[in-house]
Every structure is written in structure tokens, then in C-alpha cells.
């Protein structure tokens, strides 16, 4: 009785090995599960071709052998505009590139072009025209002790924090965010109006104070909310 049992077990193992080999061949060696398309979603400024080319996933590659982590690294390195990337397999024949692009909060002038700065103060792209509704960031900190102490990246983040704190009505009218030091950020608005904001600290209190001040002094041109508990307005 043992011999038939052994033969049965041998048959089971042989069948398992055969199926295992078939499975490996089906996944890696056959034409059944090859990449036939690479789709892109979430892109707004970048074209689908730019994203596909940067990912470097060739059509015809076995789907299971696609190194998603490596593709994500290539996308990050080649397309700094991308903030978040997810490479997914779409069985049986697709790869999906799901991306989120960085949004410009401010722009900086450079050699006739504009450098886009995101909500973390990261410079991520150069464009020929200033994006509509995005204020200019003017960094005037070359001789400032703040530059040595904080560094330019931190000062850019400070400027972005100020822009993010603005009341919606003020944000719409803001044309330039001028940074002279960590404690000296000034907004230049339409109509020649200015706002001395100070540092990026106490943003919510300063926004509330500025809204009230602008309502109370409608003809004023210059507003100071650097100390939100003691705002001031001047000029007419």
C-alpha cells in the first residue's frame, strides 16, 4: 500500500512543479501578461508623453517584472514638478502612473523667466510667463543677517507661509511678496497699497487684524500688521 501512496505523492509533486513552472512562464515568458499600455492620470501642466517618457517603462515588458520603485525614482529625478507619484499595475496589460503636480504659490524672476515656488518653498520649475494669479516673490536678503542665520530656503518658506495666511480678498490683490529679512515681509497690492506683515508668525491673527483694518480705513494705502494687536494704517 505504500508504493501506490508514494506514486500518488510523486504525481502530486510533479504536477505542482509543472503548474509552478507554467505559472512562472505565464508571468514572465509568455505574451499573456505583457505591458501593452502605460496610462497617466492627475497631470495638469505636464503632458502624458512627458510623464511616460520619464518613467521609462517600455511596452512589451512582462508586467510582473516592472520595478515600480525604480520608475517612481526616475519620475522624481526627471520631473521636479511632480510632488506625489504612484506606479500601479493594471492587470492584465497595463501600468498606471498616478501623479500629483506641485502648485506654484509664488514665482521668482530669473533671466527673463519665472521660477515657480510651491507651498513648501521648493523651486521646482522654470516657465517663460508668470502664471496668472500667482504673486511675485522678491528676495532682497543678500546683505541680511537672516540669510546667514536661516538660509534662503527657510526664507522662501516664510514668504509662502505669509501668502497662505492672507485673507482671500487680499490674496487676490497681492502682486508682490517682498522679503528683506525674516522679520520683514511686505506685501505690495494693486493700487499702490502696501502691507507690512513682519514675520510669518501669528499669520491667522495678522489676517484677522488686516481685514478689520482695511474695513476701518478704506482710503488708506499703507497697512502695518507686524504687531497684530496694534495695527496701523496711513496714507490716502
Amino acid at each position: 500500500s505504500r508504493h501506490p501512496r508514494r506514486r500518488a505523492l510523486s504525481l502530486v509533486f510533479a504536477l505542482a512543479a509543472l503548474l509552478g513552472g507554467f505559472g512562472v512562464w505565464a508571468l514572465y515568458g509568455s505574451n499573456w501578461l505583457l505591458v501593452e499600455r502605460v496610462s497617466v492620470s492627475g497631470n495638469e501642466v505636464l503632458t502624458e508623453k512627458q510623464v511616460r517618457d520619464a518613467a521609462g517603462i517600455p511596452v512589451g515588458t512582462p508586467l510582473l517584472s516592472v520595478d515600480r520603485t525604480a520608475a517612481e525614482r526616475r519620475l522624481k529625478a526627471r520631473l521636479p514638478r511632480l510632488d506625489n507619484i504612484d506606479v500601479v499595475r493594471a492587470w492584465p496589460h497595463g501600468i498606471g502612473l498616478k501623479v500629483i503636480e506641485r502648485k506654484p504659490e509664488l514665482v521668482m524672476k530669473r533671466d527673463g523667466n519665472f521660477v515657480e515656488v510651491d507651498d513648501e518653498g521648493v523651486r521646482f520649475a522654470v516657465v517663460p510667463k508668470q502664471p496668472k494669479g500667482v504673486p511675485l516673490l522678491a528676495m532682497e536678503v543678500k546683505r541680511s543677517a537672516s540669510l546667514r542665520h536661516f538660509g534662503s530656503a527657510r526664507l522662501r518658506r516664510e514668504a509662502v507661509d505669509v501668502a497662505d495666511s492672507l485673507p482671500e480678498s487680499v490674496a487676490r490683490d497681492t502682486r508682490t511678496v517682498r522679503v528683506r529679512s525674516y522679520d520683514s515681509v511686505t506685501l505690495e497690492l494693486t493700487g499702490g497699497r502696501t502691507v507690512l506683515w513682519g514675520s510669518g508668525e501669528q499669520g491667522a491673527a495678522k489676517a484677522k487684524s488686516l481685514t478689520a483694518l482695511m474695513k476701518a480705513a478704506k482710503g488708506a494705502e499703507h497697512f502695518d500688521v507686524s504687531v497684530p494687536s496694534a495695527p496701523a494704517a496711513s496714507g490716502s
Side-chain angles (χ1 to χ4, degrees):
S1 60
R2 290 182 178 179
H3 293 300
R5 188 178 301 169
R6 287 178 180 175
R7 283 197 296 270
L9 286 173
S10 298
L11 182 61
V12 168
F13 287 136
L15 183 59
L18 180 63
L19 290 174
F22 175 78
V24 171
W25 172 81
L27 289 173
Y28 291 97
S30 76
N31 292 325
W32 294 354
L33 299 172
L34 301 181
V35 176
E36 293 182 359
R37 63 187 178 277
V38 179
S39 61
V40 179
S41 61
N43 58 306
E44 295 181 18
V45 176
L46 296 169
T47 65
E48 292 185 11
K49 185 178 186 304
Q50 285 175 311
V51 178
R52 279 196 298 266
D53 289 350
I57 300 173
V59 171
T61 302
L63 194 62
L64 200 62
S65 69
V66 173
D67 188 334
R68 295 180 295 166
T69 301
E72 289 171 4
R73 282 199 301 266
R74 289 192 294 270
L75 284 164
K76 281 277 189 183
R78 297 171 182 175
L79 299 175
R81 182 177 291 278
L82 295 180
D83 186 28
N84 190 63
I85 303 160
D86 191 16
V87 178
V88 298
R89 293 187 180 91
W91 300 95
H93 297 298
I95 290 289
L97 307 177
K98 300 179 179 180
V99 302
I100 297 175
E101 296 179 358
R102 299 180 187 272
K103 305 288 186 184
E105 296 291 331
L106 299 169
V107 292
M108 303 173 68
K109 277 186 178 179
R110 182 202 289 171
D111 301 328
N113 292 316
F114 296 89
V115 180
E116 295 181 309
V117 180
D118 74 357
D119 59 358
E120 297 176 348
V122 175
R123 295 172 294 183
F124 64 90
V126 178
V127 294
K129 293 183 179 180
Q130 184 173 355
K132 187 176 180 180
V134 179
L136 184 68
L137 169 58
M139 299 284 286
E140 299 177 354
V141 295
K142 287 185 178 180
R143 298 180 181 178
S144 169
S146 293
L147 181 61
R148 295 190 298 273
H149 184 72
F150 295 103
S152 57
R154 172 69 183 279
L155 293 176
R156 284 196 304 272
R157 286 198 301 273
E158 196 74 7
V160 170
D161 286 346
V162 170
D164 286 343
S165 299
L166 298 178
E168 187 176 342
S169 59
V170 177
R172 284 198 305 266
D173 290 345
T174 300
R175 295 296 175 263
T176 302
V177 178
R178 195 172 299 277
V179 181
R180 293 187 175 90
S181 72
Y182 180 86
D183 294 315
S184 180
V185 179
T186 301
L187 310 174
E188 297 176 2
L189 313 182
T190 55
R193 295 169 298 160
T194 63
V195 178
L196 177 57
W197 192 269
S199 72
E201 298 171 5
Q202 296 181 280
K206 290 177 180 180
K208 185 177 180 180
S209 181
L210 181 59
T211 300
L213 186 62
M214 285 183 158
K215 287 181 179 178
K218 292 184 178 180
E221 293 181 351
H222 308 294
F223 305 89
D224 183 347
V225 292
S226 56
V227 180
S229 60
S234 62
S236 59

